[in-house]
């Protein structure tokens, strides 16, 4: 009968004819027959099943085997013996070089017919040893899956005792070697099924023998932490982790992170490879294990590992959000990585170029998964905006991409940041603040944030960019008896000459720290600036008094005497004067008092108050005090360091207005002014600011800096509880109070009083109104008759001198921005540029500086953005639009530099006498030596860091280039399948890239 069957199978008959003949042979096999005939049929069916070159032949072999196993059990058991199976497993079947791949399938098929036979236990014992040996030989995923199917169907064949643990460990090592060699989607799905079969066997063993779980996990960790592997272990290992019971997680992680035998490099290798597992599809709980290990590392303060792994892997994790099949897990890992990486903006900034493209892709996908992920991503982005403010140029494209998505409230943001931080002790991360490989391309140097010291950093950078002040500080001689100024000189010198990308202002912070400030807490930068300037001023005054006593003792030369009897440097650079006049409304007596100031604190006028400037530039002699009708209600803005403003009063309607102006923001004057030569006029036909002003001018309803200054200079009524005690009347009387600027400072500092006390909430709130900032400002200065005469002579004007106001022109130098809604929180950064005289040495022979209309106004002067350690190029456009894009980022402190002109030659004359305002200052020997030594030390630190980093980076697991996921074309019409980046699309190649 075997010859007949073989002839039929090998014949050229059509398959349907063959099938009929085979069916007849099989039916005949169900009848009793002798043992020799059974053996012949079993040998033939074994040959067909194991070596058949077509699926049809193997199916016939299988049918015959099943018939004989069922109807001739004794012969089958005799044929299917231990020796035969051992030969199959060790030597294979078929010709040499073409051994059958179906041996395990054959054994699995035959086992069902010998389960009750006396030889069954011998067969099981043989298979327990042989499957362990097979696994140790690292079979292919297909063969490993066959072993798993065999053992799943016949668990009696699973190794027992110590061999069982060894089997689990070796099976995990097998999985670590799995690789999918094909990029076809069908082949990939088959590969995934094979992996799931193998890992499913592990799960079965772990359920019955829980004692094997921890040793198996130890083997897994050994594999992924190994630094000796030539090839990275397969991501298929992710399938193993998903079956580990979650109740074991805490103990496993605790043991791993507290194991002193595990080196940092091994741990970094392991967590890096685990993070790669986010690309493994259909895996469960993988993200939970990754996050748990990251938290475990944070608990034992392994911050260097966390930082290196996050920076090297976060972009790859982000790219996996394109794929719905792994999106949920990838997003969980991304959320933890970003929300925990709070010491530096580096991780978040790595993602900025890719966020708009991902958002566009998710919107196009238009699925529930994409919509949910977009909302979570937007929440995450706003948390990062809140934590790392001060990068408007970088954030603008991202903000545009997510502008239509929900914005979380501040409490939600603080909650997310608070519960995910690596540590609540910021000083523990002090040594990990952003690594900067080289100096900024701007050539400028940043300042390290020492724990909420951005308020100081912004002020220092603004003062440093005030070039006249910087040069004066750097030119100070040794032994000047000014310890704080000396520390500022050293800090400026390092900012000027250091090779470091950022330096620490720790020494200066400790010396200039206001005693009432709370360490580690955010502070008011304006308050710090006032305190710093006052300290520097008083320190120099003290030095002058000491030298005055030395002079009286005849121990002081005339040159030193002349130097120390001048104004202090702070007075020269930032000092101005203001006349406060109060007029009694009963007797009309006027009392006046002149005060010095280093900054003007500008309150916001009531919303119904119109303080917009005039459109004309008024002549000097026509400018006088202005009195206007008060609004019905008074407004008070309280809270240090702000002054209280009260309602304006009625007065002389014939008086001309005193107004602050902005060049290029107004229309030209219509009337001809008799003293127009003494004004800083604007030729609108030639002025380059005019075209800019048309674009940058604020809407009518918004505020501008001139509005706030005009409000500051407007009259106030002293009435009711605030009545004025008139000396002439000898009683309290209603009065008018007005402030007039009598001397403009070289550097004008303006503080916008954005913080006020809200009596309803009993909290300080921030005024978030957008305030347009002019790049050039005209300030009215009251001049006495003799000063007017000198100014006219300086400008060679023939007009008769008389008392009145004149406009002084100021150029914007720096803008300190506060990001946040409270003075006790948020972040400070600043925009700055260097304003200097355009013709310091090329003055005309008559020594008359060029007027503004003759001077090229400096829009092209480079702006810089200083944000702690980061310094970047910026523009005035960015300064102007900051609050439009980021409502919580508002200008707070402004620095303006007085422009030399005919009306200000007296002010600049005093500065010119001090000398050294221009040109490169020369530093004293000790300072230069200190800078040189530090530069050498920095180079040595860089070399050491490079060696250490090379060791770390070389240890990181290699993975496919992350950007291929983001750059891949997701609109390929020829693609199909359900595992693509977008719903219903995506080619098989992209799926292969996802998994492997």
């Amino acid at each position: 009968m075997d010859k007949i069957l073989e002839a039929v199978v090998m014949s050229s008959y059509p398959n349907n004819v063959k099938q009929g003949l085979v069916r007849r042979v099989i039916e005949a096999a169900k009848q009793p027959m002798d043992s020799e005939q059974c053996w012949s049929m079993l040998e033939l069916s074994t040959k067909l099943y194991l070596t058949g070159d077509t699926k049809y032949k193997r199916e016939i072999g299988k049918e015959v085997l099943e018939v004989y196993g069922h109807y001739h059990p004794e012969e089958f058991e005799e044929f299917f013996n231990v020796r035969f199976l051992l030969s199959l497993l060790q030597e294979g079947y078929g010709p040499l070089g073409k051994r059958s791949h179906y041996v395990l399938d054959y054994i699995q098929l035959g086992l069902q017919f010998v389960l009750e036979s006396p030889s069954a236990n011998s067969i099981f014992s043989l298979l327990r040893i042989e499957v362990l040996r097979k696994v140790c030989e690292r079979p292919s995923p297909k063969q490993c899956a066959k072993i798993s199917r065999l053992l799943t169907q016949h668990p009696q064949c699973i190794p027992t005792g110590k061999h069982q643990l060894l089997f689990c460990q070796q099976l995990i090592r097998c999985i670590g070697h799995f690789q999918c060699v094909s990029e076809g989607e069908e082949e990939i799905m088959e590969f995934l099924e094979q992996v799931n079969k193998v890992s499913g066997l592990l799960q079965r063993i772990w359920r019955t023998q829980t004692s094997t779980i921890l040793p198996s996990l130890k083997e897994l960790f050994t594999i992924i932490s190994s630094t000796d592997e030539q090839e990275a272990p397969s991501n298929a290992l992710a399938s193993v982790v998903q079956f580990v019971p979650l109740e074991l997680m805490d103990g496993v992680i605790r043991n791993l992170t507290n194991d002193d035998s595990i080196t940092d490099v091994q741990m970094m290798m392991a967590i890096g490879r685990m993070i790669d597992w986010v690309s493994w599809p259909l895996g469960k709980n993988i993200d939970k294990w990754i996050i748990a290990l990251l938290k475990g590392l944070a608990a034992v303060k392994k911050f260097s590992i966390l930082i290196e792994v996050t920076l090297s892997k976060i972009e790859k994790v982000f790219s996996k959000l394109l794929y719905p099949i792994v999106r949920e897990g990838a997003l969980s890992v991304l959320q933890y990585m970003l929300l925990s990486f709070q010491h530096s903006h580096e991780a978040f900034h790595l993602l900025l170029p890719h966020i708009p493209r991902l958002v566009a892709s998710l919107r196009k996908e238009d699925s529930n998964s994409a919509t949910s992920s977009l909302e979570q991503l937007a929440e995450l982005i706003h948390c990062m905006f809140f934590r790392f403010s001060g990068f408007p140029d970088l954030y603008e494209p991202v903000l545009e991409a997510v502008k239509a998505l929900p914005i979380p409230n501040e409490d939600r943001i603080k909650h997310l940041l608070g519960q995910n931080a690596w540590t609540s002790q910021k000083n523990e991360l002090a040594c990990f603040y952003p690594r900067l490989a080289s100096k900024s391309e701007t050539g400028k140097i940043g300042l390290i944030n020492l724990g909420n010291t951005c308020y100081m950093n912004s002020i220092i950078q603004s003062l440093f960019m005030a070039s006249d002040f910087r040069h004066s500080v750097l030119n100070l001689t040794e032994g000047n008896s000014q310890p704080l100024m000396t520390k500022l000189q050293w800090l400026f010198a390092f900012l000027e000459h250091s090779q470091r990308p950022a330096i620490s202002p720790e020494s200066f912070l400790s010396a200039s720290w206001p005693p009432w400030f709370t360490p580690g807490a955010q502070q008011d930068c304006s308050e710090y600036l006032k305190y710093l300037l006052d300290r520097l001023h008083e320190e120099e005054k003290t030095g002058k008094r000491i030298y005055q006593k030395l002079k009286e003792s005849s121990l002081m030369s005339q040159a030193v005497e002349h130097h120390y009897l001048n104004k202090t440097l702070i007075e020269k650079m930032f000092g101005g004067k203001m006349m406060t006049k109060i007029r009694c409304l009963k007797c009309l007596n006027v009392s006046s008092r002149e005060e010095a100031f280093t900054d003007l604190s500008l309150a916001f006028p009531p919303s119904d108050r119109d303080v917009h400037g005039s459109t004309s530039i008024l002549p000097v002699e026509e400018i006088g005090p202005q009195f206007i009708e008060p609004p019905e209600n008074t407004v008070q803005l309280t809270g240090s360091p702000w002054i209280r403003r009260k309602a304006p009063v009625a007065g002389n309607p014939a008086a001309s207005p005193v107004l602050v102006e902005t060049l290029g923001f107004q229309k030209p004057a219509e009337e001809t002014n008799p003293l127009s030569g003494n004004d800083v006029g604007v030729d609108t036909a030639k002025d380059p600011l005019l075209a800019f002003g048309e674009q940058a001018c604020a809407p009518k309803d918004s505020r501008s800096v001139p509005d706030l200054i005009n409000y500051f200079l407007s009259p106030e009524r002293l009435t009711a509880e605030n009545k004025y005690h008139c000396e002439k009347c000898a009683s309290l009387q209603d009065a008018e109070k007005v402030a007039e600027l009598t001397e403009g400072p070289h550097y004008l500092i303006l503080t916008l009083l954005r913080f006020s006390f809200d009596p309803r909430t009993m909290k300080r709130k921030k005024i978030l109104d957008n305030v347009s900032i002019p790049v050039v400002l005209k300030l009215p200065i009251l001049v006495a008759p003799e000063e007017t005469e000198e100014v006219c002579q300086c400008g060679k004007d023939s007009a008769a001198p008389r008392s009145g106001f004149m406009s002084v022109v100021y150029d914007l130098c720096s803008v300190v921005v506060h990001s946040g809604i409270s003075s006790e929180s948020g972040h400070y950064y600043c925009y700055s540029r260097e304003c200097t005289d355009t013709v310091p040495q090329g003055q005309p022979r008559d020594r008359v500086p060029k007027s503004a209309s003759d001077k090229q106004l400096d829009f092209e002067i480079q702006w810089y953005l200083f944000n702690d350690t980061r310094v970047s190029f910026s523009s005035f456009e960015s300064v102007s639009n900051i609050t439009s894009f980021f409502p919580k980022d508002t200008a707070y402190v402004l620095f303006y530099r007085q422009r030399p002109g005919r009306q200000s030659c007296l002010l600049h004359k005093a500065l010119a006498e001090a000398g050294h305002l221009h040109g490169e200052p020369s530093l004293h020997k000790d300072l230069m030596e200190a800078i040189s030594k530090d530069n050498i030390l920095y180079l040595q630190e860089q070399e050491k860091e490079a060696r250490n980093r090379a060791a770390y980076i070389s240890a990181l697991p290699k993975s496919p280039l992350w950007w291929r996921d983001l750059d891949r074309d997701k609109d390929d019409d020829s693609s199909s399948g359900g595992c693509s980046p977008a719903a219903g699309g995506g080619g098989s190649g992209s799926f292969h890239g996802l998994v492997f």
Side-chain angles (χ1 to χ4, degrees):
M1 189 179 291
D2 58 301
K3 300 297 183 185
I4 297 173
L5 179 61
E6 187 174 13
V8 170
V9 172
M10 299 301 178
S11 70
S12 59
Y13 293 133
N15 281 349
N16 59 338
V17 176
K18 289 183 182 181
Q19 190 65 35
L21 295 172
V22 169
R23 184 59 50 198
R24 293 173 63 182
V25 172
I26 290 175
E27 288 297 324
K30 296 179 181 179
Q31 304 303 318
M33 62 178 63
D34 59 53
S35 178
E36 185 178 348
Q37 184 64 47
C38 285
W39 269 77
S40 298
M41 286 299 289
L42 286 169
E43 286 179 344
L44 175 61
S45 59
T46 297
K47 178 182 177 182
L48 289 174
Y49 188 88
L50 290 176
T51 62
D53 55 2
T54 64
K55 185 178 181 181
Y56 174 70
K57 292 179 181 179
R58 293 193 297 273
E59 285 295 329
I60 291 175
K62 179 183 178 183
E63 284 189 56
V64 174
L65 282 169
E66 289 175 337
V67 167
Y68 277 85
H70 187 72
Y71 290 98
H72 306 282
E74 293 180 3
E75 287 78 6
F76 188 89
E77 181 183 346
E78 186 180 353
F79 178 81
F80 200 78
N81 59 66
V82 172
R83 183 177 296 178
F84 174 58
L85 294 181
L86 181 62
S87 172
L88 284 178
L89 289 167
Q90 292 192 353
E91 300 174 14
Y93 188 93
L96 194 63
K98 293 185 179 180
R99 298 300 190 190
S100 173
H101 299 294
Y102 300 101
V103 169
L104 291 169
D105 305 87
Y106 177 82
I107 293 174
Q108 181 179 344
L109 176 64
L111 274 177
Q112 60 185 309
F113 301 110
V114 298
L115 294 177
E116 304 298 331
S117 69
S119 63
N121 287 334
S122 300
I123 293 175
F124 295 154
S125 297
L126 170 69
L127 289 176
R128 291 186 197 112
I129 296 172
E130 285 301 307
V131 293
L132 177 57
R133 183 184 62 80
K134 280 282 187 186
V135 168
C136 290
E137 291 175 354
R138 306 288 180 263
S140 67
K142 189 173 184 179
Q143 291 299 309
C144 229
K146 289 181 178 181
I147 292 174
S148 299
R149 276 194 294 267
L150 170 64
L151 299 185
T152 301
Q153 185 173 346
H154 302 289
Q156 307 96 318
C157 302
I158 297 174
T160 57
K162 292 181 179 180
H163 286 172
Q164 186 176 77
L165 173 58
L166 181 59
F167 177 77
C168 291
Q169 292 173 330
Q170 293 300 319
L171 200 59
I172 290 172
R173 286 204 169 269
C174 275
I175 298 174
H177 284 83
F178 285 178
Q179 298 296 333
C180 185
V181 295
S182 174
E183 294 191 3
E185 191 165 324
E186 288 185 9
E187 290 82 356
I188 292 174
M189 295 303 296
E190 183 183 2
F191 174 75
L192 292 175
E193 185 179 351
Q194 292 164 356
V195 174
N196 284 337
K197 283 284 185 187
V198 179
S199 57
L201 173 62
L202 276 171
Q203 181 190 26
R204 182 186 181 96
I205 296 174
W206 288 348
R207 281 178 177 172
T208 57
Q209 293 293 332
T210 55
S211 61
T212 60
I213 297 178
L214 293 180
S216 298
L217 290 181
K218 186 174 182 179
E219 188 70 19
L220 173 64
F221 185 83
T222 301
I223 295 170
I224 62 175
S225 64
S226 173
T227 58
D228 300 327
E229 299 287 341
Q230 294 294 323
E231 188 175 346
S234 171
N235 282 352
L237 288 169
S239 65
V240 176
V241 175
Q242 65 181 330
F243 294 123
V244 181
L246 292 180
E247 56 266 24
L248 297 178
M249 181 183 288
D250 289 343
V252 170
I253 298 300
R254 188 165 52 251
N255 289 338
L256 282 177
T257 54
N258 288 283
D259 189 341
D260 294 335
S261 66
I262 300 174
T263 67
D264 285 359
V265 172
Q266 289 175 320
M267 183 62 76
M268 185 164 57
M269 183 71 75
I271 188 61
R273 285 169 172 163
M274 285 182 67
I275 290 173
D276 287 342
W277 293 350
V278 296
S279 62
W280 185 257
L282 306 178
K284 297 178 181 178
N285 300 328
I286 295 172
D287 56 321
K288 293 183 176 65
W289 280 96
I290 295 172
I291 293 170
L293 184 51
L294 291 172
K295 287 182 176 179
L297 291 171
V300 295
K301 307 189 188 310
K302 296 284 187 179
F303 301 128
S304 59
I305 298 176
L306 291 167
I307 290 170
E308 291 293 346
V309 168
T310 301
L311 294 178
S312 64
K313 293 296 182 182
I314 194 165
E315 289 172 287
K316 183 176 182 181
V317 174
F318 181 81
S319 71
K320 300 311 170 188
L321 299 182
L322 290 167
Y323 305 96
I325 199 170
V326 297
R327 182 176 293 151
E328 183 179 355
L331 186 57
S332 295
V333 175
L334 179 72
Q335 284 174 324
Y336 180 76
M337 291 175 83
L338 275 183
L339 290 172
S340 62
F341 202 93
Q342 294 185 27
H343 71 287
S344 160
H345 55 258
E346 289 174 282
F348 178 51
H349 285 192
L350 286 174
L351 305 181
L352 293 179
H354 318 303
I355 291 175
R357 281 185 288 172
L358 177 69
V359 170
S361 177
L362 292 178
R363 282 186 174 166
K364 185 177 180 181
E365 182 181 318
D366 193 25
S367 66
N368 291 336
S369 168
T371 302
S372 173
S373 297
L374 272 175
E375 292 178 355
Q376 293 179 69
L377 184 62
E379 182 177 70
L380 191 57
I381 290 170
H382 284 289
C383 285
M384 294 299 99
F385 283 167
F386 180 87
R387 179 65 187 87
F388 305 116
S389 55
F391 302 93
D393 298 344
L394 290 177
Y395 292 169
E396 188 177 324
V398 176
L399 189 67
E400 182 68 22
V402 300
K403 65 180 181 182
L405 296 169
I407 300 175
N409 60 45
E410 188 168 338
D411 289 340
R412 169 67 176 167
I413 290 174
K414 289 180 177 178
H415 171 72
L416 289 173
L417 291 172
Q419 72 177 9
N420 288 285
W422 286 338
T423 174
S424 59
Q425 303 299 319
K426 293 184 179 180
N427 59 339
E428 293 181 340
L429 287 164
C431 60
F432 298 108
Y433 281 114
R435 300 182 317 263
L436 300 169
S438 60
K439 211 171 183 178
S440 163
E441 61 181 352
T442 63
K444 304 295 182 184
I445 297 174
L447 290 169
I448 295 173
N449 190 316
L450 302 172
N452 279 330
T453 57
C454 53
Y455 67 91
M456 178 189 71
N457 291 349
S458 299
I459 292 301
I460 289 176
Q461 293 287 17
S462 297
L463 293 174
F464 178 80
M465 292 297 285
S467 53
D468 298 339
F469 178 64
R470 179 178 75 245
H471 290 160
S472 298
V473 171
L474 292 176
N475 275 313
L476 289 173
T477 58
E478 289 185 85
N480 52 48
S481 299
Q482 300 177 61
L484 183 58
M485 185 67 82
T486 300
K487 286 187 178 293
L488 183 62
Q489 181 188 42
W490 278 63
L491 183 57
F492 278 6
F494 272 82
L495 285 173
E496 184 93 26
H497 299 289
S498 178
Q499 294 300 314
R500 295 181 182 272
I503 60 175
S504 171
E506 185 173 4
S507 175
F508 188 76
L509 173 65
S510 60
S512 62
W513 182 274
W516 60 89
F517 276 15
T518 304
Q522 185 61 278
Q523 306 294 342
D524 188 330
C525 75
S526 172
E527 188 176 3
Y528 173 76
L529 175 60
K530 293 175 193 294
Y531 177 78
L532 174 61
L533 296 182
D534 186 58
R535 278 275 311 276
L536 293 171
H537 169 68
E538 291 299 327
E539 187 179 79
E540 187 174 351
K541 279 177 62 178
T542 301
K544 289 179 184 294
R545 285 195 294 268
I546 292 173
Y547 274 90
Q548 182 64 29
K549 291 181 179 179
L550 290 175
K551 170 182 175 285
E552 294 171 358
S553 304
S554 301
L555 297 175
M556 183 175 175
S557 68
Q558 290 186 352
V560 175
E561 176 187 353
H562 175 74
H563 174 77
Y564 276 91
L565 289 180
N566 288 331
K567 289 182 176 180
T568 67
L569 179 59
I570 300 304
E571 288 176 312
K572 293 174 187 175
M573 293 295 167
F574 305 103
K577 291 183 179 179
M578 178 168 54
M579 181 74 73
T580 303
K581 298 180 179 178
I582 302 178
R583 182 176 66 172
C584 175
L585 293 181
K586 181 178 181 182
C587 68
L588 300 183
N589 179 59
V590 177
S591 64
S592 60
R593 177 169 55 94
E594 190 173 52
E595 299 175 288
F597 68 88
T598 53
D599 81 309
L600 297 180
S601 298
L602 306 179
F604 282 71
S607 57
D608 58 349
R609 173 77 186 273
D610 182 16
V611 291
H612 284 285
S614 169
T615 59
S616 62
I617 299 174
L618 298 179
V620 171
E621 74 256 20
E622 293 182 8
I623 298 179
Q626 175 201 11
F627 299 103
I628 60 177
E629 286 292 332
E632 294 181 3
N633 299 322
T634 62
V635 176
Q636 293 184 347
L637 293 175
T638 61
S640 177
W642 305 282
I643 60 175
R644 186 169 64 178
R645 297 296 300 169
K646 294 171 279 298
V649 298
N652 182 6
S656 301
V658 181
L659 293 170
V660 179
E661 305 170 58
T662 56
L663 291 184
F665 282 40
Q666 294 85 14
K667 298 177 182 178
E670 295 181 359
E671 72 264 31
T672 302
N673 300 322
L675 292 181
S676 59
N678 287 341
D679 296 317
V680 182
V682 180
D683 183 348
T684 56
K686 299 178 181 179
D687 197 320
L689 273 165
L690 180 61
F692 179 85
E694 293 173 355
Q695 301 173 7
C697 193
K700 289 183 179 180
D701 294 336
S702 69
R703 300 296 185 188
S704 67
V705 171
D707 291 341
L708 302 189
I709 298 178
N710 283 327
Y711 180 58
F712 178 84
L713 298 176
S714 65
E716 301 174 25
R717 168 169 287 180
L718 304 179
T719 185
E721 295 179 357
N722 295 317
K723 283 187 177 183
Y724 167 68
H725 185 273
C726 177
E727 293 183 358
K728 190 173 183 179
C729 300
S731 61
L732 293 174
Q733 299 292 337
D734 288 349
E736 298 166 341
K737 178 182 177 182
V738 67
E740 297 168 343
L741 302 178
T742 57
E743 183 180 318
H746 185 62
Y747 282 101
L748 173 66
I749 300 175
L750 303 176
T751 301
L752 310 188
L753 301 184
R754 291 190 172 275
F755 304 108
S756 62
F757 183 77
D758 188 345
R760 293 176 301 171
T761 61
M762 301 299 290
K763 293 181 180 179
R764 284 156 61 90
K765 66 177 183 179
K766 180 178 177 181
I767 301 171
L768 295 172
D769 294 3
N770 193 1
V771 176
S772 62
I773 305 170
V775 71
V776 181
L777 182 72
K778 276 189 168 185
L779 202 63
I781 303 294
L782 180 66
V783 291
E786 61 274 11
E787 290 176 326
T788 307
E789 182 177 3
E790 290 186 44
V791 169
C792 292
Q793 290 174 356
C794 193
K796 296 193 175 180
D797 240 296
S798 58
R802 55 182 297 183
S803 177
F805 287 88
M806 59 194 329
S807 295
V808 177
V809 182
Y810 282 89
D811 295 299
L812 183 64
C813 300
S814 295
V815 179
V816 178
V817 176
H818 177 262
S819 176
I821 60 172
S822 167
S823 61
E824 289 84 15
S825 63
H827 180 63
Y828 289 99
Y829 56 95
C830 74
Y831 293 90
S832 290
R833 63 172 183 163
E834 288 205 57
C835 290
T836 56
D837 300 340
T838 54
V839 282
Q841 297 179 1
Q843 298 286 0
R845 291 185 179 179
D846 58 5
R847 302 186 63 79
V848 179
K850 292 186 178 182
S851 67
S853 59
D854 298 324
K855 176 182 174 181
Q856 177 65 34
L857 298 171
D858 318 286
F859 270 103
E860 60 277 2
I861 294 179
Q862 181 64 58
W863 282 88
Y864 302 94
L865 175 55
F866 294 89
N867 187 1
D868 289 334
T869 56
R870 184 179 183 271
V871 187
S872 58
F873 291 114
S874 191
S875 64
F876 182 66
E877 182 182 8
S878 179
V879 180
S880 304
N881 296 332
I882 180 66
T883 308
S884 302
F885 285 103
F886 301 92
K888 295 179 183 178
D889 291 30
T890 54
Y892 185 36
V893 179
L894 313 177
F895 288 72
Y896 281 88
R897 179 183 184 272
Q898 186 179 142
R899 182 185 295 180
R902 282 175 293 207
Q903 82 289 352
S904 60
C905 62
L906 294 176
L907 297 172
H908 279 264
K909 185 176 180 181
L911 291 171
E913 289 177 357
H916 305 292
L917 289 180
H918 303 287
E920 197 66 29
S922 58
L923 304 179
H924 57 79
K925 182 180 177 182
D926 288 349
L927 187 48
M928 286 304 299
E929 286 181 358
I931 294 171
S932 298
K933 287 181 181 178
D934 185 70
N935 286 339
I936 294 172
L937 177 62
Y938 170 66
L939 293 176
Q940 294 171 344
E941 290 171 357
Q942 286 293 93
E943 291 174 2
K944 182 179 178 181
E945 173 69 19
R947 288 193 298 269
N948 293 341
R949 185 164 172 76
Y952 269 80
I953 295 302
S954 63
L956 285 173
K958 303 297 187 293
S959 56
L961 299 177
W962 56 265
W963 57 81
R964 289 178 182 170
D965 296 308
L966 288 167
D967 291 340
R968 187 172 290 115
D969 182 10
K970 295 173 283 294
D971 302 321
D972 186 359
D973 294 333
S974 64
S975 61
S976 62
C979 301
S980 57
S988 60
S990 66
F991 185 69
H992 183 270
L994 160 68
V995 185
F996 317 107

